[in-house]
Amino acid sequence: TRNYYNKFYLPLRQRLLNLNGFMTYNILNEYYLAIELTSRCNLKCTYCGRKSAHEKGWKNDGDIDYNLFKNILNKLKNKKVSIINFTGDEEPLLYNKLDMAIKETHTIFPKSIVKFHTNGLLLNENMIHKLIDNKLDEIVISLNVLSKKEYEKIEGVDGYEKVVNNIKKLMDYKKHVKVNKPIVTIQILDKYVDNINILLDELIPYKNNYYLN
C-alpha cells in the first residue's frame, strides 16, 4: 500500500542508497545492481512516492556524476553481477549520458544484463538508435493504462498516444536492423488488465515482439 511505501520502503531505500546512488542485492553469490542515474522525472503520477520523498527531504532532483557512476562499476567489477538496472523513482531517458552509461556498463560487465524502466515519452528515434547501438538488453515501458483519458488522469500529462507510437517505433527499428534486443516489456497496472485487448489490438503487427507485465 502507499502508506507502507511511504513509512517503510522509502526510509529503508534511502539507507540502502548510502548517499551514493546505488544498491546491491546478493542472491546465491550473484549480485543484482540497481543504480539511480537521475532523480528527475517528466510525469506526475498519482501513485508515485516521489512527491512524498521530496516533502520529507529524502530526495532532491539531480543526476549522478558520471565519474561516480564509473567508480561504482569499478568497485564491483570483480563481483559476479548478473543484472544491472538503472532504476529508481525517475526517468532514465532524462540522463544525458545514458548511452555512455550503457556502453561503460557492458565494457566492465560484458556478461551482465543491462536494463531499465521508462515511461517511454522520450523514446524518440534518436534515443532508440542510441539504445540499440549500445546494446541495451532489456527495456520495461510503463504504459500503465489503456486510454488517453486514463493516462492523463493517472500519469498527469497527455502522453498515451505518444508512448504507444514510441513503442511501435522501437519495435519497427529492431526489425529494420534485425536485432532481438532490447527485449521489450510493456507494463500495465493490475486494475486495467481485464481490458488488455485494447492494447493487444493496437499492437497486432508486433504480437511476437514484446511481453506484457
Side-chain angles (χ1 to χ4, degrees), residues 62-102:
D63 297 343
I64 192 171
D65 178 80
Y66 192 68
N67 287 326
L68 172 59
F69 169 78
K70 291 193 294 184
N71 288 339
I72 292 170
L73 297 184
N74 281 307
K75 284 181 179 179
L76 297 168
K77 65 182 179 181
N78 294 322
K79 302 292 185 181
K80 188 176 182 180
V81 180
S82 56
I83 299 175
I84 299 165
N85 193 358
F86 300 147
T87 188
D89 300 317
E90 81 301 329
E91 175 47 56
L93 295 182
L94 287 169
Y95 188 59
N96 62 8
K97 294 182 179 179
L98 177 59
D99 55 334
M100 295 169 57
I102 296 169

Side-chain angles (χ1 to χ4, degrees), residues 171-183:
M171 292 191 286
D172 282 337
Y173 188 68
K174 283 177 58 180
K175 182 178 180 180
H176 175 70
V177 296
K178 299 179 180 179
V179 297
N180 295 320
K181 294 183 178 181
I183 295 169

Side-chain angles (χ1 to χ4, degrees), residues 187-205:
Q187 202 166 50
I188 302 295
L189 296 177
D190 289 345
K191 63 186 289 187
Y192 299 102
V193 170
D194 289 343
N195 297 315
I196 197 64
N197 282 338
I198 295 173
L199 181 63
L200 295 180
D201 291 343
E202 179 80 11
L203 298 177
I204 283 177

Side-chain angles (χ1 to χ4, degrees), residues 6 22 37 57 62 69 84 88 105 123 158 182 186 190:
N6 291 337
F22 74 99
L37 298 178
F69 169 78
I84 299 165
T105 304
L123 199 59
D158 179 7
I186 304 171
D190 289 345

Side-chain angles (χ1 to χ4, degrees), residues 94-138:
L94 287 169
Y95 188 59
N96 62 8
K97 294 182 179 179
L98 177 59
D99 55 334
M100 295 169 57
I102 296 169
K103 184 176 181 179
E104 186 77 25
T105 304
H106 273 307
T107 298
I108 297 175
F109 298 99
K111 296 182 179 181
S112 299
I113 294 170
V114 180
K115 62 180 291 187
F116 62 78
H117 289 65
T118 174
N119 57 52
L121 278 172
L122 300 177
L123 199 59
N124 55 38
E125 290 182 7
N126 182 52
M127 180 60 70
I128 289 170
H129 294 179
K130 287 182 178 180
L131 299 181
I132 290 178
D133 288 348
N134 289 285
K135 297 178 172 55
L136 179 71
D137 293 300
E138 296 183 21

Side-chain angles (χ1 to χ4, degrees), residues 33 51 56 59 87 136 154 167:
L33 174 60
K51 181 178 179 181
K56 296 179 184 299
K59 197 166 193 174
T87 188
L136 179 71
I154 300 295
I167 292 171

Side-chain angles (χ1 to χ4, degrees), residues 20-45:
N20 282 323
F22 74 99
M23 294 186 286
T24 58
Y25 306 86
N26 186 350
I27 304 173
L28 299 178
N29 295 319
E30 288 194 17
Y31 284 82
Y32 171 102
L33 174 60
I35 303 179
E36 185 174 86
L37 298 178
T38 178
S39 57
R40 296 181 291 136
C41 190
N42 54 344
L43 290 183
K44 301 175 182 177
C45 303

